Amino acid sequence: MAKIKPSKGSPYARILGVGGYRPVRVVPNEVILETIDSSDEWIRSRSGIETRHWANDEETVAAMSVEASGKAIADAGITAEQIGAVVVSTVSHFKQTPAVATEIADKLGTNKAAAFDISAGCAGFGYGLTLAKGIVVEGSAEYVLVIGVERLSDLTDLEDRATAFLFGDGAGAVVVGPSKEPAIGPTVWGSEGDKSETIKQTVPWTDYRDGEVAKFPAITQEGQAVFRWAVFEMAKVAKEALDAAGITADELDVFIPHQANERIIDSMVKTLKLPESVMVARDVRTTGNTSAASIPLAMERLLATGEAKSGDTALVIGFGAGLVYAATVVTLP
C-alpha cells in the first residue's frame, strides 16, 4: 500500500501585511436623515456612527478588493505572483458564479492562485483567516490573501429606521504567510442558527425576480436581540479565544472587534474588563458597519495612525448574520 508524503508547510502562520480601501464618497448622518425620521444625535448615541463611505459605480466589490489587496501585498514585502490562494468573504457580490475571488486573483497578477468566496457575514474575515492559517501550515500555499469586502449600500433600505444609518462600503485585506513562532492563535468559532431570523435578507432574490415583492431585497435586523446576543454571548467567546491563546486581558495590546456598533464595543470592553492600556478599535465612527471588511479596515487604520504597532498582540472577533462568530488572538504585522 502506497504511503502519502507528509505536507511541507510552515510550522506556524502569521499576518504579514494589511491593506484597506474606503470609497471616495463620505456620507454624513444628514444624508441618512433625508429618508428616515430620526436625528444626528439619536444615530450617534445609538451606534457611534458619524459618517460612512458609499461606493460609486466604478468602486465594485472586485475593484475595491484589488486596491486593498495591492496595499496588503506591498506591506507584506512580496509580489502578487507569490500569492497561492485568494479567499474572499462577502455577501454583496451579486453574481452567484463565478466567484469574485477569481477575478481579483487575475487582476492582481497572481500565478493561477486558488481562489474562492465564502459567505459568513460579519464573521467572514475570521473564517477566512482561519482557512488561510490552515492552508499555510498544511503547505498548499506559502502565501494566502484574505479579503473582507462589502458594498452594503446596495443592500440598505434607506427607509428602514433600524438599519438605514448602519451600513458602509469598503475592503480590507491581509496576507498570511509562514512563521517560525505562533502568531495566529486557535480560533473559537461557531454558529447559532436558531437565531438566524435576527439578521437576515428581507426576501429571497427569487421573490423579487418573480414579482412577488416590488422592493429590492435588503438587510434587516432585530436590533435589541442582536445587541443582547453580541454583548453577553460574544464577550464569552472573546474570553475563550484569550484562554485558547494562553493570553490574559492584562497581556493584550489591542482589541479589534467587528465594527457593528460602538455601544456593543463599549459593553464588551467592560465585560472583558480590559485595562485602559488596551487600544480599542473604533473605526465604526467614520466607516460604519462594513461587515466582513470591518476588522481588516480597523486593523489597517490603527497601524497607519500609530495607535497600534507591529508586533502588538491583538484580540479580533467578528459576529453577525447566521448567527455566526469567530475570535482569535493575532500578532499584528
Side-chain angles (χ1 to χ4, degrees), residues 133-309:
K133 173 187 174 183
I135 291 169
V136 171
V137 171
E138 189 272 337
S140 294
E142 186 175 11
Y143 299 103
V144 180
L145 180 65
V146 180
I147 303 166
V149 56
E150 302 291 2
R151 273 183 53 124
L152 294 182
S153 59
D154 292 333
L155 287 168
T156 298
D157 180 355
L158 293 177
E159 297 177 346
D160 181 358
R161 190 172 185 270
T163 61
F165 59 91
L166 286 176
F167 302 122
D169 303 336
V174 299
V175 172
V176 177
S179 175
K180 294 181 180 179
E181 58 186 24
I184 301 175
T187 300
V188 177
W189 58 353
S191 65
E192 297 185 33
D194 60 314
K195 300 180 180 67
S196 61
E197 290 295 303
T198 56
I199 306 175
K200 63 180 182 180
Q201 185 171 305
T202 49
V203 296
W205 299 113
T206 49
D207 285 5
Y208 181 74
R209 180 199 64 189
D210 298 340
E212 295 181 25
V213 294
K215 203 167 189 177
F216 194 76
I219 297 173
T220 186
Q221 69 175 33
E222 298 174 14
Q224 288 301 314
V226 173
F227 182 86
R228 288 192 297 270
W229 176 77
V231 169
F232 297 109
E233 298 303 321
M234 292 305 97
K236 297 176 186 177
V237 170
K239 179 62 167 60
E240 289 178 28
L242 289 173
D243 292 343
I247 299 293
T248 66
D250 291 337
E251 295 174 301
L252 204 59
D253 299 309
V254 185
F255 180 42
I256 311 178
H258 166 47
Q259 302 293 293
N261 181 309
E262 193 166 34
R263 289 174 62 210
I264 292 175
I265 295 171
D266 289 339
S267 295
M268 291 184 71
V269 168
K270 183 178 180 180
T271 303
L272 288 168
K273 298 179 180 179
L274 297 183
E276 292 185 5
S277 59
V278 175
M279 173 55 61
V280 180
R282 300 184 185 278
D283 194 42
V284 67
R285 293 173 179 172
T286 56
T287 306
N289 180 345
T290 55
S291 189
S294 78
I295 290 175
L297 278 174
M299 183 185 295
E300 185 261 352
R301 175 160 280 173
L302 288 175
L303 289 167
T305 59
E307 295 172 280
K309 62 183 184 299

Side-chain angles (χ1 to χ4, degrees), residues 45-66:
S45 66
R46 298 286 292 184
S47 67
I49 299 172
E50 302 167 10
T51 61
R52 73 284 292 145
H53 295 255
W54 283 355
N56 60 33
D57 291 343
E58 287 73 38
E59 292 167 320
T60 63
V61 165
M64 292 191 293
S65 297
V66 169

